């Protein structure tokens, strides 16, 4: 159906960023991710964004975009800048930023 097709092509690319918290910085990383949401809400080209916790120290961000220009806008935005500014303080490893192609998605519509 047309409704399915519209939702099906809503996102085509995404980012997965893996973040490893320094010992004792887990609460600060969690707080940072929660605090990033209002900034992401201001990004018209970010279709979906998730700040996630993968265990005790691993965290991540998964976000999705209609196209690469939206993904690039996000990478140049305020959240990315804040993340890079805090990287040395909060994370024990360099950020792992993977550009991902979305093959299928279900989004609210």
């Amino acid at each position: 159906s047309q409704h399915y097709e519209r939702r099906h092509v809503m996102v085509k690319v995404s980012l997965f960023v893996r973040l490893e918290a320094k010992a004792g910085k887990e609460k600060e990383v969690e707080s940072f991710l929660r605090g990033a949401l209002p900034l992401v809400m201001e990004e018209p080209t970010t279709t979906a964004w998730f700040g996630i916790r993968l265990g005790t120290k691993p965290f991540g961000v998964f976000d999705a975009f209609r196209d690469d220009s939206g993904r690039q806008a996000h990478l140049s935005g305020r959240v990315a800048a804040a993340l890079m500014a805090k990287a040395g303080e909060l994370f024990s490893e360099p950020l792992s930023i993977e550009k991902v192609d979305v093959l299928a998605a279900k989004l609210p519509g």
Side-chain angles (χ1 to χ4, degrees):
S1 77
Q2 185 178 13
H3 180 66
Y4 169 78
E5 290 299 320
R6 184 180 63 223
R7 286 174 43 188
H8 178 70
V9 298
M10 182 161 287
V11 296
K12 293 187 178 188
V13 298
S14 64
L15 292 168
F16 179 69
V17 182
R18 188 171 175 87
L19 312 165
E20 189 73 25
K22 283 185 177 179
K25 296 289 185 174
E26 299 86 357
K27 291 283 186 197
E28 289 178 56
V29 172
E30 186 176 316
S31 179
F32 176 86
L33 290 174
R34 290 180 191 275
L37 183 58
L39 297 176
V40 175
M41 296 296 287
E42 296 175 4
E43 297 180 354
T45 60
T46 301
T47 303
W49 185 91
F50 301 89
I52 57 176
R53 187 170 200 159
L54 301 165
T56 305
K57 292 184 181 168
F59 291 82
V61 173
F62 178 80
D63 34 24
F65 314 89
R66 291 178 190 259
D67 55 33
D68 196 54
S69 66
R71 180 166 59 186
Q72 287 305 124
H74 178 72
L75 287 169
S76 301
R78 293 171 59 196
V79 174
L83 191 60
M84 297 310 272
K86 290 279 194 176
E89 175 187 335
L90 297 178
F91 307 116
S92 62
E93 298 176 12
L95 305 182
S96 168
I97 302 172
E98 297 181 52
K99 290 183 176 181
V100 181
D101 292 330
V102 176
L103 302 178
K106 179 184 182 236
L107 299 169

